[in-house]
Amino acid sequence: MSRIVTLDEFIIKRQKDFSYATGELTGLLRDIGVASKIVNREVNKAGLVNILGVEGSANTHGEAQQKLDVYANDKFIECLKNSGECAGVASEENEEFIPFPAFESKSGKYVVIMDPLDGSSNIDVNVSVGTIFAIYRRITEEDQPIELSDFLQPGLKQVAAGYVLYGTSTILVYTTGRGVNGFTLDPSIGEFCLSHRDIKIPNRGSYYSVNQGYYLKFDLEMRRYIDYCCDLNLGLRYIGSMVSDIHRILFQGGIFLYPNTRKYPAGKLRLLYECNPMAFIVEQAGGKAINTQIDRILEIEPKELHQRSTIVIGSPDMVDEMIQFVDKYSAVSSH
Ligand code: AHM
């Protein structure tokens, strides 16, 4: 039997690969690991305690907020705040970014952008949810207060990104720009253990993932591409929980699409909280991520914290194929 490598061990070992590393990023990733274990405990017992359901507050976008959203948000913020490595957090659940006071007179050099519980409308029916995070080096000087510009950086500037999938087992997948690795939580020892080393996305897969219920609301090129997927007899898989849908694609290949609809003319998903970190991970695994205008997600200059984006992400050959449909049909539909 091969020796178990825990997340902490792995992160520390990887730190030695960066000659300039001071251990702060390592500490930050470990803190995120700790916070996700706490959230995992709560997600797992959600059916047992009175934590299901709507908290009674609405988040900044007027969406009903689930109790576990609030819990996860609080826990991640608490862990990051006490870490000393993080200068502030922007969360999908908060309108503004949250600056952290200097810890033991030390101000962190990183900021974290996160969606503490993505797909949370699925919790009440026991469907998998996830946490998504991105870490950026701050732009402002460390002795100055952080500013909005520290968060409004294109995804290419991510130092690390990852997600935690609270599924049949809990798995944490992350990248620091040198490949992607996955760690499964072993509940008996309470540790994330390396289970998926150097993940590579297949060039194509036999699934496509889109909310096909909105088919008639999609632009022509998107409808034609979906028709093409049907013609190819691809299987449709859609959980409605971005982390779960993309996790499957990362391992089995395929394509995930969330185009613009009449309700969400700019797309539904958030550029900073959802699209950028997932794009960084998928690209690091050999995949591609673009919006429906064929701009690379990671190169989009964000204008505001809660900006939405369309997204097409997954196996490289399939994304390339989708681009051909945009080239061919978007000109037709604009006439
Ligand atoms: P949330 O932030 O309210 O959880 O919404 C994000 C989720 C994604 O996980 C998922 O891909 C998408 O919303 C599903 O949206 P829809 O139900 O419109 O298909």
Side-chain angles (χ1 to χ4, degrees):
M1 198 178 90
S2 57
R3 201 179 78 80
I4 288 172
V5 178
T6 66
L7 175 65
D8 286 2
E9 264 181 276
F10 187 86
I11 294 170
I12 291 167
K13 194 167 169 295
R14 278 292 162 105
Q15 184 194 325
K16 296 188 191 125
D17 295 346
F18 298 93
S19 50
Y20 56 85
T22 57
E24 287 174 56
L25 179 62
T26 304
L28 198 46
L29 286 165
R30 286 170 64 174
D31 292 334
I32 289 172
V34 171
S36 53
K37 280 193 244 180
I38 297 171
V39 171
N40 175 64
R41 195 183 56 200
E42 234 38 47
V43 169
N44 279 338
K45 66 179 191 200
L48 298 171
V49 293
N50 185 25
I51 203 164
L52 282 175
V54 178
E55 163 90 338
S57 57
N59 71 9
T60 54
H61 321 293
E63 295 154 357
Q65 207 171 29
Q66 307 282 305
K67 275 187 181 178
L68 265 173
D69 281 19
V70 179
Y71 181 86
N73 198 35
D74 290 351
K75 283 299 156 204
F76 271 95
I77 291 174
E78 202 177 295
C79 284
L80 292 168
K81 190 174 187 171
N82 295 331
S83 75
E85 281 95 14
C86 181
V89 165
S91 162
E92 196 191 356
E93 299 299 332
N94 298 96
E95 176 120 36
E96 312 284 351
F97 69 85
I98 303 166
F100 292 155
F103 184 77
E104 292 171 354
S105 71
K106 198 178 108 198
S107 181
K109 66 175 175 209
Y110 297 103
V111 295
V112 173
I113 299 183
M114 62 170 187
D115 182 355
L117 216 55
D118 181 71
S120 51
S121 59
N122 285 320
I123 293 170
D124 282 3
V125 284
N126 243 338
V127 172
S128 303
V129 288
T131 295
I132 309 176
F133 62 89
I135 302 175
Y136 293 79
R137 199 164 282 124
R138 63 188 286 186
I139 298 171
T140 46
E141 297 295 329
E142 279 169 51
D143 56 354
Q144 297 297 311
I146 55 166
E147 292 173 6
L148 186 57
S149 57
D150 289 313
F151 296 92
L152 295 186
Q153 302 189 53
L156 270 180
K157 298 280 183 191
Q158 288 171 102
V159 174
Y163 64 78
V164 185
L165 172 61
Y166 309 100
T168 42
S169 55
T170 297
I171 178 163
L172 185 151
V173 172
Y174 86 98
T175 182
T176 52
R178 294 185 172 204
V180 184
N181 292 283
F183 301 80
T184 304
L185 184 63
D186 180 342
S188 65
I189 56 170
E191 293 282 0
F192 280 106
C193 302
L194 180 61
S195 50
H196 302 83
R197 196 186 279 272
D198 200 17
I199 299 164
K200 293 282 176 238
I201 189 167
N203 284 338
R204 46 173 60 252
S206 34
Y207 297 121
Y208 70 108
S209 185
V210 64
N211 190 334
Q212 199 145 340
Y214 303 150
Y215 178 86
L216 295 174
K217 321 245 170 9
F218 292 150
D219 292 338
L220 178 67
E221 60 272 24
M222 224 31 77
R223 281 182 275 141
R224 289 294 91 88
Y225 177 70
I226 291 170
D227 296 343
Y228 171 72
C229 292
C230 296
D231 286 346
L232 289 181
N233 275 331
L234 297 184
L236 170 62
R237 294 284 184 278
Y238 192 71
I239 297 168
S241 184
M242 188 198 200
V243 172
S244 315
D245 281 313
I246 294 185
H247 184 72
R248 181 187 339 89
I249 287 169
L250 195 59
F251 285 91
Q252 300 185 334
I255 188 164
F256 173 92
L257 309 103
Y258 206 112
N260 47 298
T261 59
R262 260 171 248 153
K263 185 173 175 196
Y264 294 114
K268 178 187 181 191
L269 301 173
R270 314 279 166 179
L271 176 63
L272 297 186
Y273 307 107
E274 292 158 330
C275 301
N276 271 339
M278 297 312 272
F280 188 27
I281 294 164
V282 166
E283 281 202 8
Q284 278 294 313
K288 292 193 173 178
I290 56 172
N291 64 12
T292 50
Q293 280 84 48
I294 323 185
D295 305 313
R296 184 180 174 204
I297 292 285
L298 294 181
E299 289 178 13
I300 299 173
E301 292 283 343
K303 306 267 183 304
E304 51 183 271
L305 277 182
H306 294 280
Q307 185 169 332
R308 295 180 194 267
S309 174
T310 56
I311 188 164
V312 176
I313 183 168
S315 291
D317 292 358
M318 296 174 83
V319 174
D320 286 343
E321 236 161 41
M322 206 288 308
I323 291 173
Q324 292 172 21
F325 281 79
V326 176
D327 288 342
K328 186 166 172 191
Y329 291 103
S330 61
V332 177
S333 59
S334 60
H335 284 107

